[in-house]
Amino acid sequence: MVEWAKERDPADVYRFLSRLFSLCSPMCLPKKLSISGASLEEFPLITRYAENLTTLKIPWSFIANETVIREARKLSSLHFLDLSYTYGIGARAIEAIGKHCRLLTGFHRYMLLDFKDHYYDDEARAIAATMHGLKSLEINHFKFISHTSVLKILSSCTKLDYLDLRQSYIIGPGEKLPQYFSSRTLQKCSGRYDVFIR
């Protein structure tokens, strides 16, 4: 369905979702949904029928912080969420998801390499503050000012056993050379030798 959505007009995707949900009885609503490029109109439609939803993958979505904050409480049954390449949201949306999705054990947020002045320390802190039940976290191509927020994730998310930081790096303002994360250093600094870090 992800590939189908990529090639369709948003209006077609909305009609398809509306039709799909209308044909389902409350007991038969989908448990897993994967759509690429969900729009501001489609996201509330998804959350309206999210009673049974445990897995939601909506990479490349065009949603905003305010929309996620308003709708996050309807996603309380989620166990896994993928918000990769969704640039309209930030720490406030991540925090809202963490507060309302207490069953969340897996979270993916891949981003494209960005050498501009955008850092993800605040998103990492939001994850650490609210997603304490995570077992698997993949945050790829994140740019950080320091390693502090990542260490906060390791200390706060005590159930975490897998952390994927591939292509994430530290580079302070004015610095030219990125410093990539060392799994051994993170394990040593956090004391979390039980976490597999990539």
Side-chain angles (χ1 to χ4, degrees):
M1 185 168 179
V2 172
E3 295 302 321
W4 181 87
K6 278 184 179 179
E7 300 170 0
R8 298 286 177 167
D9 184 274
D12 291 337
V13 178
Y14 187 90
R15 282 193 293 270
F16 174 84
L17 287 174
S18 298
R19 181 65 173 162
L20 172 67
F21 293 139
S22 68
L23 291 173
C24 296
S25 68
M27 296 298 295
C28 296
L29 288 171
K31 292 185 177 181
K32 298 181 180 180
L33 193 59
S34 183
I35 299 173
S36 180
S39 68
L40 280 171
E41 293 76 23
E42 291 155 9
F43 186 68
L45 178 63
I46 292 168
T47 61
R48 191 187 312 161
Y49 296 97
E51 182 179 343
N52 298 331
L53 203 59
T54 59
T55 297
L56 179 60
K57 300 178 182 180
I58 48 172
W60 299 102
S61 291
F62 302 95
I63 54 179
N65 276 325
E66 291 72 21
T67 307
V68 175
I69 292 168
R70 185 178 64 248
E71 301 291 329
R73 62 182 177 82
K74 302 174 186 176
L75 298 171
S76 59
S77 62
L78 282 185
H79 289 241
F80 178 84
L81 178 62
D82 185 348
L83 288 173
S84 297
Y85 313 114
T86 298
Y87 294 94
I89 63 170
R92 292 172 56 227
I94 303 300
E95 182 181 14
I97 290 165
K99 285 181 177 179
H100 292 285
C101 303
R102 295 298 188 180
L103 301 178
L104 206 63
T105 58
F107 183 54
H108 287 187
R109 186 139 164 82
Y110 296 9
M111 308 302 278
L112 294 175
L113 279 174
D114 180 12
F115 294 102
K116 297 179 181 178
D117 297 329
H118 186 82
Y119 291 90
Y120 291 93
D121 300 76
D122 57 345
E123 287 196 24
R125 287 192 294 269
I127 291 169
T130 62
M131 298 185 181
H132 300 149
L134 285 182
K135 295 180 179 179
S136 174
L137 175 62
E138 299 186 20
I139 45 176
N140 295 173
H141 295 137
F142 271 36
K143 182 168 67 173
F144 296 95
I145 292 177
S146 75
H147 66 286
T148 305
S149 54
V150 174
L151 290 176
K152 188 66 176 174
I153 288 174
L154 288 168
S155 64
S156 300
C157 302
T158 56
K159 296 180 181 180
L160 197 67
D161 53 34
Y162 179 74
L163 176 60
D164 189 341
L165 288 165
R166 282 177 294 177
Q167 300 304 313
S168 291
Y169 58 93
I170 301 166
I171 184 166
E175 295 180 358
K176 295 183 179 179
L177 296 177
Q179 174 189 346
Y180 289 92
F181 288 96
S182 161
S183 58
R184 290 184 179 180
T185 301
L186 287 174
Q187 287 173 330
K188 183 177 180 180
C189 291
S190 65
R192 292 294 307 275
Y193 295 98
D194 57 321
V195 181
F196 180 75
I197 302 174
R198 297 182 70 178

